[in-house]
Each structure stands twice: as C-alpha cells, then as structure tokens.
Amino acid sequence: MPASRLVNTCMTCGGPLLVDYDMDRVGGIVERSTWASRPPTMWRYRELLPLNDPAEAVSLGEPITPIVTLSELDRAPSNLLLLKDDGRLPLGSFKARGMAVAVSRARALGAKALFAPSAGNAGAALAAYAARAGLRSRVYLPAATSEPFRSWPAALGAETVLVDGTIREAGERARSECRGDGWFEMSTLREPYRVEGKKTMGFEMFDQLHGRSWPDAILYPTGGGTGLLGLAKAFDELTQLGWIERRPRLIAVQPDRCAPIVKALDEGTPRAAPWPNPSTVAPGLLVPSPFGSERVLEAIRLSGGAGVTVSDQAILDAMGELLRRHGVSASPEGAATYAGALELLERGTLRAGETVPLYNTGSGLPFDLAALRDLVPAGSPP
Ligand SMILES: Cc1ncc(COP(=O)(O)O)c(C=O)c1O
C-alpha cells in the first residue's frame, strides 16, 4: 500500500496498517550519535517518522520526557525501578506523541476533519493538534467521562459527543455518524500513524538508557495497545539498525475487571475475546474489545513478555504511594504499572538485579483521588 494515500485499515483483511521504512537507507544516513545531537524533542527521530519534510510536523512542543529513579523501594533493593514520565507532554499524556504524528500526516495527505472515540486523553490530544493544524475535529466520549476530560475537547475547539457505554460504544457511534463529508477516523490502530508517534517512547529510552542501564523488562498500562506496539516497533527498528542487541520483555498491565489482553496471554489464544461487564478506575484501560489485539499479543509474545492484572484498590494505593514516596503525579493508568511491578516482584517474574522502567502514560493532575475511591465497589479485594 503506497504511503501517499490517506487510508485507515488494510483494504484486503481490514486489519491495522503499519509503516515500513527502507532500513538500509536509514542506516546509511543516521548514526547512533545523530539523534542525541539534535534538540531534545520527539522530532529528533525524523528519519524513522513518516514525514516527507520536517515542516509538515504539527507540534505543540513535545519534550523528551524524564526518567525518574524509584530507588528507595525497600521491597526490591537490588532492582533498578525507573519511571518514564509522559505526564509532562502537551495536555499531560503520551497521547500527544501519537496524535502529533497522525495529525501531521493526515493534514499532509489532505484530510480536513478528524474524529475519534476517546476515554479522555486521546480526545484532548486530538482536539489540541487538530486546532494547531487548522482542521475540524470531533470527539466521542463515554458519558461517564470525568472532568476535565469532558470539557477539554470543546475548550480546544472540537465538537464533543457523549455516548452511553464504554469506548467500544463510542467508537461504534462515531463510525456510524462520521461518514462522508471528508471525515477521517483517528481511532487506535484504525489509522497507520499514531503507532509511529508512540515509537518515540522506545527511541527516547534508547537515548536515555542504552549503554547505561538498558531495560530487561518494561511495564506498560495496556488499553488498545498502540503504545505497546509502538515500543515493540521501536525496538525492532533499533535491532535492524544494529544499535541494540537485546529487546526488553514487554509486560502488559491491565485492571482485573477489564483484562482481555492478559486473559488471552494466559490462555494462549491468538486474539482477545470481548470482556463482559468491564469496569475500572483507570479510564484509558477500559477497552473491552481491543481492535488489533492479534498484533499486540504477538508483540508481547515475541519479546518474551507477559501480562499482569491489578485491582482498582491497588491502582489507587499506587497513585498515593507514587506521590508520597517518589513525588510523582501518575494517572491511574500509569500507577497501575507500579502496582503491577509490586505483584511481579512478589511472583519472581521480575528477577533480582533487573532494570525495569514503568511507563507512566499520563499525569495524575486531572484526577480527583477521592472521587476515584468512590468508584471502587465496597468489599473489593486489595
Ligand atoms: C493515560 C493512558 N494510559 C494508557 C492508555 C492505553 O493506551 P494504549 O492504547 O496504548 O494501550 C490510555 C488510553 O486512553 C491512556 O489515556
């Protein structure tokens, strides 16, 4: 499929489309030191981003996000637990990475109006980057979406539609309403370029950790799985360039009341079955039927990775502990990785001496911890 056409999914099988680069050519024009010598933004990786011209980039100023050492964890004295903090990106989440690239590409290919269902962060990022690009946008949110995620898209100039149900129902409604009139869908894995932006998570880790403390495993809070696929693709491309010798194990963390990917890993099935009656305090992880689950599962398995579930109570405790002990404001999704790490250390899945970055995908600032506590059913397991 040529990259010059504005397309959503594969015309033959309907599955996700991923971008292929001429890696021999890329290897001929960049060296290990090239990226690190450029300004510290996600656009420094431009040879492996799908832009024909750097001027096509729609940017709100995306910094390289810091990696914080969670050193004083007495439960894991010999492990190096790190936290990559994407709460510092525009609108406070990693969704900025994918939307920056996907909106840039959509505009370059002639799109005029963009839409997506969202649990909150993707909607805010889509609205912000579409506004920056001068494009129309529309966001479909579950009706239970909390403030400020509910009002941000409109404040950023997007149309907002509230839909009863989860992101699955929001997506169905979006696809039924946004037909014709130049609407282009920006949902997770239903267009090829958000994954490309998410890849910069892995490239940044390469810049920040390679040669010093290269990860043995990475814990990632998994909803639709674009981030995990982005990490896997980054490590594939770095391997093809001959710049890394070992890929980290990718570990999907999901809430125990909505864990279709972890269940499929446990049961050894090729794709995730829809999760019945899903619920969780982490809105971005409330994805009961992830589109493209086959690719996500394959990426985890090829990395030698695994899955782990955590309770809502453990997620809230982790948010509190990250704040108190480490000074980190983590979203419930990001905090889920901390809860997952404690569980995996106990099980021995994370071995003594290993280096393990946790991926904090969003800031905790938009969340009211007391209101989240009210969402946990009484008598829930810790
Ligand atoms: C903060 C946060 N973390 C994680 C996720 C899940 O992302 P992915 O689609 O990459 O699995 C989301 C999705 O909405 C999110 O907002």
Side-chain angles (χ1 to χ4, degrees), residues 24-62:
D24 288 337
R25 194 176 151 269
V26 173
I29 51 178
V30 278
E31 296 174 8
R32 272 168 195 249
S33 56
T34 313
W35 290 343
S37 67
R38 292 182 180 153
T41 83
M42 60 177 265
W43 305 101
R44 59 162 49 165
Y45 309 108
R46 56 178 174 261
E47 289 80 6
L48 287 174
L49 291 177
L51 303 185
N52 292 325
D53 178 340
E56 286 175 0
V58 177
S59 173
L60 292 166
E62 300 74 21

Side-chain angles (χ1 to χ4, degrees), residues 40-43 51 54-64 88-104 107 121-134 137 152 156-157:
T41 83
M42 60 177 265
W43 305 101
L51 303 185
E56 286 175 0
V58 177
S59 173
L60 292 166
E62 300 74 21
I64 301 289
R88 326 275 183 111
L89 285 167
L91 277 301
S93 93
F94 79 128
K95 297 283 179 183
R97 297 178 186 274
M99 285 301 180
V101 172
V103 170
S104 300
R107 183 176 69 170
N121 284 314
L126 173 60
Y129 283 94
R132 187 70 159 183
S137 65
W152 270 350
L156 289 156

